[in-house]
Amino acid sequence: LASLVMLLLAAPVAHGMRRRGGAMGSLALGTVIGLVFLLSSGILSSMGQAGALPAVVAVWAPLIFFAAVAGAIMVYVEG
């Protein structure tokens, strides 16, 4: 599912680049959001393995949060 979330994060950025022509800003935003997703997923996964967080929360929290972020960005770009 992480690959799907990454595609969801990339879709609004690509759509915004096509519409507004702001390639550098959109590319930087997409890269930063993608890296933050990977970082938070790794940190929460490690915390789940160490027992600091329940495993279900550690696995699903970044996926759900960043899917919601991607949906919000998509609505903003389309809107």
Side-chain angles (χ1 to χ4, degrees), residues 10 13 15 19 22-23 26 61 70 74:
V13 173
H15 185 68
R19 280 207 170 171
S26 295
M74 193 172 294

Side-chain angles (χ1 to χ4, degrees), residues 10-66:
V13 173
H15 185 68
M17 282 177 28
R18 189 169 39 106
R19 280 207 170 171
R20 289 180 275 165
M24 293 308 285
S26 295
L27 186 61
L29 177 67
T31 302
V32 167
I33 292 174
L35 289 175
V36 169
F37 168 69
L38 291 175
L39 179 68
S40 66
S41 178
I43 289 172
L44 289 176
S45 175
S46 296
M47 290 177 71
Q49 289 177 352
L53 283 176
V56 174
V57 173
V59 171
W60 288 103
L63 291 172
I64 292 171
F65 177 74
F66 281 95

